[in-house]
Amino acid sequence: MPVYPVEVPVVTAGQSVPVLLTRASAGFPSPAGDDLEDEIDPIAWVVRHPTSTFWWRIEGDCLWDVGIRDGDIIAVDRAGKRRLGRAVLAVVEGAVTAKILRKRDGKYFLAPANSREAFPEIELTEDSEIWGVIAGVVRRYDLA
Amino acid sequence: MTKPIAISDSANFYVSAERIFDPTLKGVPVIVLSNNDGCAVARSDEAKALGIKMGEPLHLLRNKIEAHGVRVFSSNYTLYGDISRRVVEVYEDYTPNVEIYSIDECFLDFSGFRDRVTHARTMRGDVLRRVGVPVRVGIAATKTLAKCANDIAKKNPIFAGVLDMTDPALADWLLPLVPVGDIWGIGRRTTAKLEGLGISTAAELRDMPLRQARALGTVVLERTVLELQGEPCIAFDDVEPQRKGMAVTRSSGKPMEDFDTVFQAITAHATRAAEKLRQHGLVAGTLTVFFHTNRHRADRPQYAGSRSTRLTPMSSDTIELVAAAKRCALAAWPKIENQSYGFTKAGVMLDDLLPLEDRPRTLFDAPPRSPVLMTALDAVNSRFGKKTMVLASEGTSRSWQLRANHRSPRYTTRISDLPVVR
């Protein structure tokens, strides 16, 4: 079979397709065979605890300053540690809200993070509950 | 003692699953309806307190629903399945052996743990924290006793959801309190027979002579008696028993009148059955189709049709199964002219199931026509979602589809259904 040299590198559009391991029956075994790795999966990188992580959609910009925007999809880990300063999902009076967990004068607060728009700060009472801790954000941009 | 077995289950599992994403359901009566929104199959404690019974039909509940603001949901098996999977994943962190018994019940191998109660409590707390559903754990030497312990833990808040009944003294104290009809594997008829003999509690059944038990209710009852005595007779399975038959049947949302509509439903059921066969690597030898009218509407014309056919060669091919189902459906279709019926249920059953590699072959078997096509079909439907690629005879209107007017979003499996936080 003749071999034609390629002048310019060919770049294809679209998704990459994982290729099955080549089964070299004769001659030269694939030198890459031992070095194959799985493709990068950023979602698996975000979701460290798949059993306890659930996806939610954000509506509103009360966490804008920490990079969470209207329409974003967030991974929420129910088992995540409730540390001060972390973005959490909380249930307050039957409604679910995303805020930053803060503490002042011995009291816990759910604070917004938006320096351009005013959002209420909510005191964390016994009736409210932290649903989970935000583990990551997924956003995509319009291609149309 | 023998190996301790735990059974962990979630009471009101469907309701608990709905409550994960909808905090407004906390503390209010909630019910989940059966397929086709027929009757209540799961009730929150508040709904139970209102006197809503298991299996009570929706149309009899209208007054209560309105008067007490009962929240009503159609079953959302997609959601329940995902939550169930997560619960099992947590169990797997606490035992090397999990046997899934149903969507909300698992047997767990608890041998080797010294402080079983603490272990179970930690596990229970972890399921609640990581997944968000409350579970109850019963521990004992046999599955039947573990079920009893679980039941007792469920009914008596003093146990805080965990009861270890491996101590015989504890069993002696508790088993007299368990009605015989509540024991795993004891049905209504056996209960009546036993009560005739003056046996009305689990303790009395445990002390029943084995020969008498065998005479009264065959080996099954004898086995239950032995299990209650603490002798394991129902093994801890980690292998799935081979299925002998399967059925895909559905009630139709609205009555189906013409053959095409019924056949669309049957095509869909046969397609699903074939898919299940291939998933388990099985082939079927017999296919049965049935459909019938609503038996509770004696005022309307009644008809029940069913036909079986042999599948030669045995098959799991969608096209072959649908073709066989069509022959059956045509043969079973009512022959009286000018009489129409409203069929409310249709189904496909498969029997004589064998692993593909064990199927009998005859001299004249044509090579299986479309294994590659079936593989492609399954691949497309698994990648792009169920029912992406179907046979045209299934139709596109799906007027036969279930009624599910109150279904919650598929929160965890569809990007369009994600729960929203403001």
Side-chain angles (χ1 to χ4, degrees), chain A residues 50-59 73-74 78-79 89 91 94 96-98 131, chain B residues 20-21 23-24 83 86 89-90 128-132 383 412 415 418-422:
Chain A
T51 306
S52 54
T53 302
F54 296 84
W55 295 95
W56 288 71
R57 189 183 293 280
I58 285 277
E59 229 177 68
I73 294 176
I74 53 169
R78 287 185 58 94
L89 234 67
V91 180
V96 187
T97 177
W131 196 93
Chain B
I20 296 175
F21 297 99
T24 64
I83 300 303
R86 291 170 187 258
E89 279 172 18
V90 179
L128 191 60
R129 188 174 64 103
R130 287 160 70 183
V131 189
R383 177 156 172 206
T412 57
I415 206 143
L418 282 177
V420 172
V421 49
R422 271 169 250 269

Side-chain angles (χ1 to χ4, degrees), chain A residues 52-104:
Chain A
S52 54
T53 302
F54 296 84
W55 295 95
W56 288 71
R57 189 183 293 280
I58 285 277
E59 229 177 68
D61 284 326
C62 76
L63 292 179
W64 178 280
D65 293 354
V66 292
I68 297 174
R69 306 193 181 162
D70 187 54
D72 282 354
I73 294 176
I74 53 169
V76 184
D77 189 349
R78 287 185 58 94
K81 287 214 175 68
R82 279 97 167 120
R83 290 237 172 91
L84 292 179
R86 282 197 175 163
V88 298
L89 234 67
V91 180
V92 182
E93 286 167 6
V96 187
T97 177
K99 293 280 183 315
I100 308 288
L101 184 64
R102 302 228 182 267
K103 191 177 182 182
R104 212 174 339 118

Side-chain angles (χ1 to χ4, degrees), chain B residues 135-188:
Chain B
V135 295
R136 258 67 73 99
V137 189
I139 310 162
T142 68
K143 283 185 170 179
T144 307
L145 282 169
K147 280 280 249 184
C148 282
N150 178 287
D151 222 37
I152 298 166
K154 194 181 300 184
K155 286 175 183 152
N156 302 280
I158 49 161
F159 295 112
V162 175
L163 172 56
D164 182 356
M165 214 167 60
T166 46
D167 178 359
L170 200 55
D172 282 343
W173 175 51
L174 291 167
L175 288 182
L177 307 172
V178 178
V180 77
D182 286 1
I183 299 169
W184 191 39
I186 304 286
R188 214 173 300 165

